[in-house]
Amino acid sequence: EAGVTQSPTHLIKTRGQQATLRCSPISGHTSVYWYQQALGLGLQFLLWYDEGEERNRGNFPPRFSGRQFPNYSSELNVNALELEDSALYLCASSPGVSGNTIYFGEGSWLTVV
Amino acid sequence: AQTVTQSQPEMSVQEAETVTLSCTYDTSESDYYLFWYKQPPSRQMILVIRQEAYKQQNATENRFSVNFQKAAKSFSLKISDSQLGDAAMYFCAYPQGAQKLVFGQGTRLTINP
């Protein structure tokens, strides 16, 4: 069974540009989560989607946005990129029921120059 | 607000020895789950072990076991017979609001051959 898959693996963007990261959850999982892991800052919760709806949002500015498609895959968009957006972005999925384990993908490295 | 604290930024252990990583958390809920994740240099977050708070029995997965003290809000991870492949960052995590994982700061574990 395929795990959570993310693309691209690495992305280099210029300050002010937009970045789009993609995530495919494990088959049967309806919830998708996005986390940011910047150097020295640990894992910070970004967004949670379930059944196509945004269910929860972390303490990030509105230029961080996303969506979930009918097939439960998800996109994370970061507009007006800033240097401090450089980080590993981890996507995770779960069956969407409270208490279920959350499984992570390998992450997408975003570098803003 | 729920918090997760890992007080050991770094730990090291000799190969084949046993090591215990500490984690404390704060919650007002009575029924919840706790997780330990491992992040090797590849950066993918890998589930190590999960504990349901309503279970008095400590969870065990092969060489990994937990010491769950609900009253003390303590959730430590014991790794027996440490192997070189166990070297990684270890994160304790608590699902806030049913699904949003809150992570501790992490403990970097080094295995000495």
Side-chain angles (χ1 to χ4, degrees):
Chain A
E1 180 181 319
V4 178
T5 58
Q6 293 186 242
S7 64
T9 305
H10 294 88
L11 187 61
I12 299 175
K13 290 286 188 177
T14 303
R15 190 171 51 183
Q17 285 187 315
Q18 177 194 38
T20 298
L21 307 178
R22 296 177 177 83
C23 173
S24 292
I26 292 171
S27 177
H29 287 190
T30 61
S31 278
V32 170
Y33 313 82
W34 288 96
Y35 286 81
Q36 183 196 64
Q37 188 176 25
L39 282 176
L41 292 180
L43 285 120
Q44 304 295 323
F45 169 76
L46 261 169
L47 290 159
W48 168 29
Y49 291 95
D50 183 62
E51 297 286 358
E53 301 284 332
E54 181 180 303
R55 302 295 185 183
N56 202 344
R57 181 181 183 85
N59 188 25
F60 282 83
R63 56 191 188 81
F64 286 84
S65 65
R67 55 180 171 167
Q68 186 178 34
F69 299 99
N71 65 354
Y72 303 114
S73 66
S74 176
E75 273 184 1
L76 174 68
N77 296 295
V78 188
N79 294 318
L81 285 166
E82 300 178 2
L83 296 178
E84 52 265 35
D85 296 333
S86 295
L88 178 68
Y89 289 84
L90 290 163
C91 176
S93 75
S94 79
V97 177
S98 175
N100 267 283
T101 299
I102 296 172
Y103 296 92
F104 286 82
E106 295 186 357
S108 292
W109 282 101
L110 173 62
T111 301
V112 183
V113 297
Chain B
Q2 288 92 343
T3 59
V4 179
T5 302
Q6 294 178 247
S7 59
Q8 307 153 313
E10 295 184 359
M11 293 280 285
S12 64
V13 64
Q14 289 297 123
E15 193 175 2
E17 298 284 301
T18 295
V19 63
T20 299
L21 309 183
S22 301
C23 173
T24 59
Y25 59 95
D26 182 29
T27 182
S28 56
E29 298 178 1
S30 59
D31 191 16
Y32 50 89
Y33 299 79
L34 292 161
F35 302 90
W36 277 98
Y37 283 89
K38 164 185 175 181
Q39 190 177 40
S42 67
R43 303 306 291 263
Q44 182 174 11
M45 297 287 284
I46 301 167
L47 176 70
V48 174
I49 200 164
R50 158 194 162 116
Q51 173 78 44
E52 288 87 351
Y54 67 87
K55 289 186 177 179
Q56 292 188 341
Q57 186 174 11
N58 290 322
T60 299
E61 287 288 341
N62 300 313
R63 298 182 294 106
F64 298 87
S65 61
V66 301
N67 183 4
F68 175 51
Q69 303 288 332
K70 190 173 183 179
K73 296 180 182 175
S74 170
F75 181 57
S76 60
L77 174 70
K78 185 172 85 170
I79 305 174
S80 304
D81 186 24
S82 298
Q83 300 176 0
L84 295 178
D86 296 334
M89 283 289 287
Y90 285 81
F91 292 92
C92 176
Y94 168 88
Q96 180 186 64
Q99 292 288 42
K100 167 189 163 183
L101 277 179
V102 176
F103 288 87
Q105 304 91 321
T107 297
R108 182 176 303 278
L109 178 64
T110 301
I111 311 295
N112 301 312

